[in-house]
Amino acid sequence: MKSVFILDDKAWAGSNLLYRWQKTLGNYIAVAGQDNSVKIFDRHGQKLTELSLPGRCVGMDWDKDGDILAVIAAKSSSIYLWDASVNKISQIESGMRDQMSFLLWSKVSPLLAVGTVKGNLLIYNQQTSRKIPVLGKHTKKITCGCWSSQNLLALGSDDNTLSISNHEGDTVRQTTLRGEPAEIFFSVMKTDERSAVGEGTVSVSVDKKILMLFNINDPDNRIELTFQRHYGNIVSYRWYGDGYILIGFSHGYFVVISTHIREIGQELYQAHNHKDSLNSVAISTSLNKAASCGDNSIKIHELSELKDISNVVWLDDETKGLDQMSWTDDGQLLAVSTQKGTLHVFLTKLPILGGSFGTRLAYLTSLLEVTVSNQVEGESPVAIQVEVEPTFIAMGPFHVAVGMNNRAWFYALVDHEPGFKKLKDIEYLGTIASMCLNSDYAAALFEGKVQLHMIEGKDLEEKKQMKLFPDDEKKGRILCHALTADFLYYSTDSGQVVCVLVEDWETVSSYSHTVGVRKVFPDLNGTRLVFIDERNGGFLLSPTNATNPCFELPNFSPTITGVLWDNWHADRGVFVAYDDDKVYTYALHKTTIYGPRVVLVGITPLLFSQKPLLLHNGELTCQTASGKTSEVALSTHPFLKRSAGTPVDSQLDLSKQLGHALLLKRFHEAWDLCKSAGSSSDWAELGKACLVHMEVDLAIQVYRMSGDVGMVLSLKGTQGIEDMNLLAGHLAMFLGDYNVAQDLYMSSSCPIAALEMRRNLLNWDSALMLAKRLAEDQIPFISKEYAVHLEFIGDYVNALAHYEKGMTHDAKFEEHDDACKAGVARMSLRMGDIRRGAAQAIQHPSRVLKKECGAILESMKQFSEAAQLYEKGQYYDKAASVYIRCKNWAKVGDLLPHVSSPKIHLQYAKAKEADGKYKEAAQAYESAKDWDNVIRVLLDHLNNPEDAVRIVKETQSIDGAKMVARFFLRLNDYGSAINFLVLSQCNDEAFQLAQQHGQMEVYADIIGPEATQEDYQSIALYFEGEKKHLQAGKFFQKCGQYSRALKHFLKCPSTEDNLAVEMAIETVGQAKDVSLTNQLIDYLMGESDGMPKDAKYLFRLYMALQQYREAARTAIIIAREEQSAGNYRNAHDVLFSMYTELQSQKIKIPAEMATNLMILHSYLLAKVHVKRVDHLKGARMLIRVSNNISKFPAHVVPILTSTVIECHRAGLKNSAFSFAAMLMRPEYRNEIDPKYRKKIEAMVRRPDTSELEEETTPCPFCGFQLPQNELLCISCKNNLPYCIATGRHMLKEDWCVCPHCEFPALYSQFILLLETESVCPMCSETLSAKQLKKIADCSSYLQAEELEQ
C-alpha cells in the first residue's frame, strides 16, 4: 500500500476533518476542517477549488453519479451545490428557520434530504427544484440517516426515535429507541429463502452499546444485539456480503457477525486488531477487502478469508492517533484522517497496466508513475513520472508510450540520468484502443483502423511517415494489431489476418479465417503468431508454411485473454496462454515425424489479480495490483530448478519432470535428469522423444546408455540420410507407427522401403498392393509368403490361389517354385482334390512333402494313399502303422525289417499270435521289447522254458519271473519256483512255498541281503519251530533280536560248536549288551556246563566288543599256551594280530607282549636264516632264543642242540661251549639226539673259548656304539626297534618298513632276504624288493617308539 499524497492545512490543525470522495468516479475528494471553507482536491492531491462558507461545514455529500457536491454550514439555512463538470457553485435557500444538522443524497434518484437541529426535514428534488418541507419529523436534532434502494429514508434523532419515511416525506414507521442512535443502514437480513421485497432491514447503533435490527415489515420483532463489555463501545459498523456485519469497537476489537436467524448472536470472527483504540472501519466491495484504523496503524483484511491480513501500515508521525477512513468506490484510493487534522491518501489498487518488448517491461507503479525494468539483462529500473493517469502503456525496444483517450505521450529511454526523455505527445483521430511500438514505428488502433507512424520523425516529413490501414473500408474493421521488429500484423472482424512489412508498408501475406479474429500475438521474429478468434478458439499461424499454415491449439480454454512467447534464445517455440487464474504452457514441435504440431505441456495456477507480462526460460513475470512485479516459476519447467547435484524427490517426480522436459524439447536437461537417477523406462521415454523429433545423434547416445544395441545399430544405419521423409519413415517404423512410416516412405525418394517394411511385418495384403504399384517382379515371392501365412491360419482356398500365383517358371528360382508346388500339393489335398495332390507329392523330390501329405491324407481317413506316400518317402514306421490301420498285414510284414517303432512290432505280434503263428509272434514281441509277452508265448505256446529263463535273467522282468515261477511250480521244481518268485518280488508267496515244501534253506539262500527285517524274522521263527538252532540264531541275529540269537547259538550241539560260538561272539559284539556279554563269557569259561572253551574264543569276544586291553591279556595267555604246546607260528600270529590291533586303536602295547613277540619272531628268523645257510645270523637269533629257553618248554633240548651246532658253525666257540654245558645237565642229557651227543660231550670235555667278536653299530636314538643284536641301549636306556629281517637293532641310515604291517627293517638286509624269500617274515604278506622304499628321515618312527615307552 503506497502513500499517494498527504493533505496538511494549517487551518485544519487539531480538528477532526470531515471529507467525502466523489461517488462512482472517485476523481475528487472534498475536505472540510474548522475553518469556514470546503477544499476540493483531485485524486493526485492537487487543489482544484475552495468553497467559502458563512460558518463551519457541518455536512456534505455527493449525489449518486458524483456530479454535484451538496454542502451545509453552521449559521446558515442555505444549501450550497458545487457542479464538478463545470466547476461552478450555486446556493439554494432551504426556507428553514433553524440550523441544518444533516444532509444526504438518495442512492437512486436526484433527491437530497436535509435535517435540522430542531428535528425538521426538507426533501429537495435537484432535477425539478421541488422542495418538500416536513416539519416536526422529530422533536430534537436529526443526527443520522440513510436512504434505501427503494427510496425510503430512515432518520435518527437525539429524541431517541427512529423514523422511516417515503420519498415524499410521509412517515411509514416510527419506533422509540433505548438510547441515542448513530450510524443507520438499510440492508437485507440473511434468510433461507430470498425475498423480493428489497432492503427490508434497518440497522442502527443505539447508545454505542446495542446494535438493533429492525424489520420494516415486522416492526414488533426487533432484534437487539449486545456485546462483551471488554470490547468497549461500538465505534462504527458496515454490512457486507450475504448479510454479514463487520463491527469495530473502541477498545481495538474487530468482530464479524452473521444476521442469519440461526447464526444471529454468534461471532464468526474476532480479532484484537489495535492495542488501545479503534477509530473507524471501512469496506471496499470492489476490492473485497475490509480496513480498520486505530492507534497509529491501518490493517487491511481479505473479506474472503478474514484471518489473512493483506497489509499493515504504520503512521509513526501521527502521535495523537487516527480518526476516520473512507474508500473510493473503485477501491483504488483509501483516505485516512487523523486527530491532528491531516489526511493521508493511500493507493490500495492500481489499474493493472503494462507492456513488454523482448525482455524489457513497462508497468504502472503508481497513478502517475510508469517503471521500466529489464531484470533479465540486469538493468536498473527507470521510474517515469507521467502527466496523466494512463489507460494504456506500450513498450518498444527504445521507447515507452503512455496515453488515455486519443492522446499518447512518447518517452525515449536514454543511458544518462534520469534514464528517460520525453519526446512528444500526439493526438489521434479517435480514442486509442491499443498501441504497439518497435524500434522506429508506433502503431495505434482506434475506431477499427491502425495508424502506423514513425516515433522520432521530423515534422516536415510527417505525411510520409504515417499510413492508415486498411486502405479500403470494405476490408472490414481492424479488431487488434501487433508490431514486431519487421512486421505489422492486424486482424479484422471479417477473419483476415494481414502481415505488412514495415519497411515498405506493403502487405506480405494475408490469411482468411472463418470468423473474426479478436487478438494476435506474434513471436519475437514475427514468423509465427497465435491468434484468438471470436469463438474463443486459439490457432497458430505460420505464414511461411505454404502447405499447412494454420492449425488449432489443443485444449484451448475459452477464458484465455492473452499469449506470451518465451523470450529465451533457445525456446523460440514455447509460449503461454493465460486467463485470470491459470497459465497454459504450449510448445511448438516444428520438426517431428508427424509433421509440425503444438502440444499443451501443462497448466500453472496464477494468483489472484496477476497479469503476465514476460516469459523468459520458464519464468513468468507478472504485474500485481499493488504496482509490483512477481516471478512465477511455471510448473512445466521444474527441471530448471534442479542444480546438478540435487537429488530428485521420487521416481514419480523424476518421470514427471522428464515428461515436461521432453514436451518442451529440452533434450539436454532430459539427458541430465536421466543420468542423475533415470530408470530404464525413463531412458526409453527420452529415446522415443528423440526419434519423434528426429534427433538421431542424441537418440544413438541415449540408446547406447540404456544398452539397446539393436536400436543403436538401426539408427547408425540411418545416419547420413538427407531425404527427411525417408529418415522420418525409418524413425516412425522404429517407433512401431507403421501406417505413418508407410505414408512417409511413399512420399520419399525411396518408396520401395514401404514394401520392404510391410513384408518384414508380414502384412501381405498391403505388401501385394504396394508391389503392384512399385515392384511387380516381387509379386510371386510375396504371394508365396502370403500363401504360407494363409495355410498356417487355415484359409486353404486363398492359400492355393496364392501358391499358384507364386510360380515363376524360371530356372533361376527353382527352389522357390518347388516350395510353391509343394504348397499346391498340400492345398489340393486339403481341398479334397486327392488325385492331383497325391500325384504332385509323388512327383516332387522332397521326402518331407510326402510325410506332410501323408499326414493330411491320414487325417482325412484316406489310409491306403497315406501309407503309399509314407512308404515312398521312406517313413517306414508311419507307413506300417497306417497299413496296420487298414489291416494290410502282408505290407506290414514286408516293411517290418525297416521299422524301428516297438509299437508297430507289438501290433504285428498281437496279430500273428491271433493267427496262431507263435514263433513269429515271439520274434515280433522281442523286437518290440515286450518281454512279458515273449515269456508268455515261450512258456504257454512254444514250451521253451530255457529261453524264458534267459530272458527273465537278462531283463529282470517281475511279471516274467512270476510266469516262470508258475511254470516250475507245475513241474514241482520248488527250488526254481522259489527262486523266480523272489525275483518277481513275491517274497510272501515264496516263503509260503518254502514252508510247505521244506525248502526254507533254499529260500533263505536266495533271499540273501535284499530281505527286510520281517523276512528274516519269519525265517528265524520257522527254523526255531524246526529246532534248527544254528539257522534260527543266524536269522534272529540278522533281524537284530540278539538275545534270541545268542540263546539259539548256545543251544547248538557240539558238532556245530565252533561255528555256533563264532556266531555267538559276533552277535554279542553287535549287541553291545552287558548281560549278553556276561552270559557268553560264563559259557566260554565253562561255568554253565562245566566245560571251559578254547581261550581263542574269549580273545575273539573281547576283539568283537572292542575291549582291546582284555583282548591283549587274553592274547598273551593264548600265545603262552600255544608256545607251551610248541605251536610257535600260531603264538606269533596271535601276538602280531593283537599288536597291530592295539596300534591301530592307539593303545599302549604291554611290554610283555612286545617282548614275547620279539622272542617268537627271533625263533622264526633263526629257522629262516638256518635254511638260507646264513649261520652267523641264525646263531645270533638262536642265542637270543636259548637265553629265554624257559618260554619254549616243549622243545628245550632240540633248540639248545641247534644253538650249539649253529654257534659252532659260525665260529662262536665260547657260546657253543656254554650252551653245550647246559645240555649236559642231567634233565636234558638223555634227550639229546644220539647223532649229536658225542660231539657235544667232546665240546664240553675239550672247551675252545675262542669267540668271534660281535660287530658294533650306533644306537638310533643317541648314536652310542652297541653290539648289533643288542636291543637295549645302555647309554640312553631306550628299548631299540629291531629289524624284522635280521633281529638286529635298527640303524637310522638304513631304514625301511614293510608296506603291509609297517614293522621296521634294515633296508639292505631286507633286500638280501627277499632274494630267497617272497613274504614278510613278520606278517607273512607277499612282498617283493620293488615294494620297499628306503626312508631318509625316520624321526617320526623314533618319536612313536619313544611315546610308546
Side-chain angles (χ1 to χ4, degrees), residues 72 99-103 113-117 119-122 142 155:
I72 51 174
Q99 276 194 30
M100 313 280 173
S101 63
F102 166 80
L103 136 140
V114 186
T116 71
V117 290
N120 301 322
L121 172 68
L122 171 75
I142 296 175
L155 294 172

Side-chain angles (χ1 to χ4, degrees), residues 974 978 988-1004 1022:
Y974 301 119
I978 289 167
D988 293 349
E989 291 169 38
F991 179 75
Q992 284 162 10
L993 194 61
Q995 218 171 358
Q996 285 163 15
H997 300 287
Q999 298 282 333
M1000 194 55 78
E1001 282 90 342
V1002 178
Y1003 174 64
Y1022 171 80

Side-chain angles (χ1 to χ4, degrees), residues 724-756:
M724 291 307 276
N725 282 341
L726 181 59
L727 175 61
H730 287 321
L731 299 179
M733 179 174 72
F734 297 157
L735 287 168
D737 210 332
Y738 304 117
N739 294 340
V740 170
Q742 179 172 324
D743 295 344
L744 287 163
Y745 282 140
M746 293 305 283
S747 57
S748 76
S749 58
C750 181
I752 198 87
L755 174 60
E756 283 170 28

Side-chain angles (χ1 to χ4, degrees), residues 207-225:
D207 210 16
K208 297 192 175 178
K209 297 272 187 295
I210 300 167
L211 184 64
M212 188 194 87
L213 304 177
F214 173 81
N215 190 333
I216 302 167
N217 307 316
D218 184 9
D220 302 332
N221 284 342
R222 58 188 186 184
I223 299 166
E224 293 190 351
L225 301 175

Side-chain angles (χ1 to χ4, degrees), residues 137-138 153-156 161-165 171-175:
K137 177 62 78 174
H138 286 274
L153 176 63
L155 294 172
T161 58
L162 169 73
S163 67
I164 295 167
S165 319
T171 302
V172 179
R173 291 266 186 277
Q174 186 146 6
T175 184

Side-chain angles (χ1 to χ4, degrees), residues 925-926 928-939 947-966 968 976-986:
Y925 277 132
E926 199 162 346
K929 302 211 173 13
D930 187 348
W931 307 115
D932 295 350
N933 275 323
V934 180
I935 294 162
R936 181 177 57 72
V937 173
L938 285 171
L939 294 175
D947 282 353
V949 168
R950 173 180 61 76
I951 289 169
V952 167
K953 285 186 173 163
E954 282 171 7
T955 63
Q956 296 288 309
S957 162
I958 291 171
D959 291 342
K962 273 188 194 165
M963 285 187 267
V964 174
R966 279 191 224 110
F968 282 123
S976 303
I978 289 167
N979 195 346
F980 283 98
L981 279 170
V982 171
L983 254 183
S984 67
Q985 298 176 1
C986 295

Side-chain angles (χ1 to χ4, degrees), residues 158-274:
D158 283 351
D159 63 3
N160 294 359
T161 58
L162 169 73
S163 67
I164 295 167
S165 319
N166 62 16
H167 66 288
E168 296 287 330
D170 305 333
T171 302
V172 179
R173 291 266 186 277
Q174 186 146 6
T175 184
T176 311
L177 306 173
R178 287 208 251 161
E180 286 183 10
E183 280 200 307
I184 300 177
F185 292 110
F186 274 99
S187 188
V188 184
M189 262 181 81
K190 189 177 176 188
T191 52
D192 283 336
E193 60 284 327
R194 285 272 161 265
S195 55
V197 182
E199 295 181 331
T201 307
V202 177
S203 62
V204 59
S205 157
V206 179
D207 210 16
K208 297 192 175 178
K209 297 272 187 295
I210 300 167
L211 184 64
M212 188 194 87
L213 304 177
F214 173 81
N215 190 333
I216 302 167
N217 307 316
D218 184 9
D220 302 332
N221 284 342
R222 58 188 186 184
I223 299 166
E224 293 190 351
L225 301 175
T226 55
F227 299 91
Q228 296 179 40
R229 191 169 290 165
H230 71 270
Y231 286 178
N233 291 337
I234 297 174
V235 172
S236 179
Y237 73 94
R238 296 285 182 274
W239 287 77
Y240 75 93
D242 190 6
Y244 296 104
I245 303 177
L246 164 69
I247 312 167
F249 291 91
S250 58
H251 288 172
Y253 287 89
F254 175 93
V255 175
V256 174
I257 62 168
S258 165
T259 58
H260 191 290
I261 204 72
R262 283 206 301 269
E263 299 171 330
I264 207 147
Q266 285 183 27
E267 292 180 5
L268 302 184
Y269 175 76
Q270 177 259 326
H272 194 179
N273 251 11
H274 303 279

